[in-house]
Amino acid sequence: MPKLILASLFSGSLWEIIGETSAFGGFILAVLLFMSVTSWVVILNKWRQFRSVDRDNERFLNMFRKARRIGDAVDQIKLFPHAPLAGIYAAGVQELVTLVNRKTGGKPESFTPLDSNDFDVLEMTMEKTMTDEMGKMERLVVFLATTSSAAPFMGLLGTVVGIMDSFWSIGERGNASLAIVAPGIAEALLATIVGLGAAIPAVIAYNWANNKTKFLNDKAGGFILEFLARAKKELF
C-alpha cells in the first residue's frame, strides 16, 4: 500500500487531481495546507521551547537548593532565561524585600519577623507570576486545538462539494460513467486526506503540549511551597 501511494504521488496523478479541482475545492485545500504547515511550525516551536524550559528549570532548581540563604541566587537568575521557576523566584524575592522593608521602616535594627498575613501576600504574588509564566507556555497552543477541531470539518466540506460536483456532472451529461464521476470523487477524497493529515498531528501535539504545561504548572506550584518553607525558616 505505501508503494502504491508513493507511486501515485510521483506518477503525476496527484497533480492532475489538484489541477482539475474546482475553485472552491482549491480554496479548501489551500486553507488546510496553511493550517497544516502552521501547525508544524507551532509544534517545532513548542518542542524547542519546552526543551529549553526543562533544561533551565532543572539547572536553576539545583542552584536554588544549594544556596545557603534564600536570596543568594538572585544574581544568578539571568543565567536561566527560559526557566519559569527563575521568574517566580525573582518575584518572590522582590516581594520579600518589600515586606521586610515595610517591617523595618528603613531601620534594620527594628526588624520583626514576618507574620502569616505577610506570607499570604508573598504566596499570592508568586502564584500571580506563575500564572503569567504558564501563559507563555500556552501561547500558540490554541492554534493546534483549532486545527485539530476544524481541519476534519474543512476536509468534510471539501468532500461534500466534490461529491456534489460528481452528481452535477451526472445530471448535466446524463451519464454515470467512471470518467464523469471520477474527478469529483478524487477531489472529495483528497480533501478528506488533507483534512485528516492536518488534524491528526495537531491533536497529538495539542495533548502533548497540554500535558507538558500541566507538568510545569505542578512543578511551579511545588517550587512555591518550597520557597515559602525556606522563607518561613529564615524570616518567621
Side-chain angles (χ1 to χ4, degrees):
M1 183 62 69
K3 292 182 178 179
L4 293 175
I5 295 175
L6 289 175
S8 66
L9 287 175
F10 293 103
S11 66
S13 59
L14 176 62
W15 312 115
E16 291 175 7
I17 294 172
I18 295 175
E20 295 178 2
T21 298
S22 64
F24 185 79
F27 170 75
I28 294 294
L29 291 177
V31 172
L32 289 173
L33 181 61
F34 168 79
M35 295 174 75
S36 180
V37 171
T38 305
S39 292
W40 278 107
V41 171
V42 172
I43 291 169
L44 293 175
N45 177 271
K46 300 310 292 185
W47 177 77
R48 292 176 60 186
Q49 182 185 22
F50 284 128
R51 185 180 62 172
S52 298
V53 165
D54 287 339
R55 182 187 65 241
D56 281 5
N57 264 350
E58 289 302 320
R59 291 170 57 201
F60 169 78
L61 198 55
N62 289 334
M63 184 198 66
F64 171 77
R65 287 171 176 169
K66 291 177 182 178
R68 298 185 62 182
R69 295 188 62 81
I70 198 169
D72 291 349
V74 172
D75 295 334
Q76 306 295 323
I77 60 176
K78 292 182 179 179
L79 299 176
F80 314 101
H82 303 291
L85 298 187
I88 296 170
Y89 167 79
V93 171
Q94 184 177 0
E95 187 63 28
L96 266 181
V97 171
T98 301
L99 292 171
V100 170
N101 288 338
R102 186 179 303 167
K103 286 285 186 178
T104 61
K107 299 177 182 179
E109 66 277 4
S110 64
F111 173 74
T112 56
L114 301 181
D115 55 32
S116 59
N117 289 332
D118 295 323
F119 282 105
D120 288 341
V121 172
L122 176 60
E123 183 176 5
M124 287 187 287
T125 299
M126 297 183 73
E127 287 181 348
K128 169 62 169 59
T129 305
M130 180 181 73
T131 301
D132 294 339
E133 293 291 340
M134 291 304 105
K136 297 177 184 177
M137 299 297 101
E138 296 171 352
R139 191 173 300 163
L140 300 179
V141 174
V142 66
F143 185 85
L144 297 178
T146 301
T147 299
S148 63
S149 299
F153 291 103
M154 294 286 290
L156 179 61
L157 180 60
T159 301
V160 172
V161 171
I163 294 175
M164 287 177 60
D165 183 63
S166 295
F167 280 109
W168 183 265
S169 298
I170 293 173
E172 275 192 328
R173 303 183 185 183
N175 190 344
S177 66
L178 185 61
I180 293 176
V181 300
I185 297 298
E187 175 185 336
L189 295 177
L190 180 60
T192 301
I193 292 171
V194 175
L196 292 176
I200 292 173
V203 71
I204 294 173
Y206 174 72
N207 290 330
W208 165 77
N210 267 352
N211 286 334
K212 287 292 293 183
T213 303
K214 183 179 183 301
F215 170 78
L216 291 171
N217 188 76
D218 292 342
K219 192 165 190 175
F223 173 74
I224 291 175
L225 295 178
E226 184 176 346
F227 183 97
L228 291 172
R230 287 190 60 174
K232 287 183 178 181
K233 289 178 183 179
E234 296 181 17
L235 300 171
F236 191 71

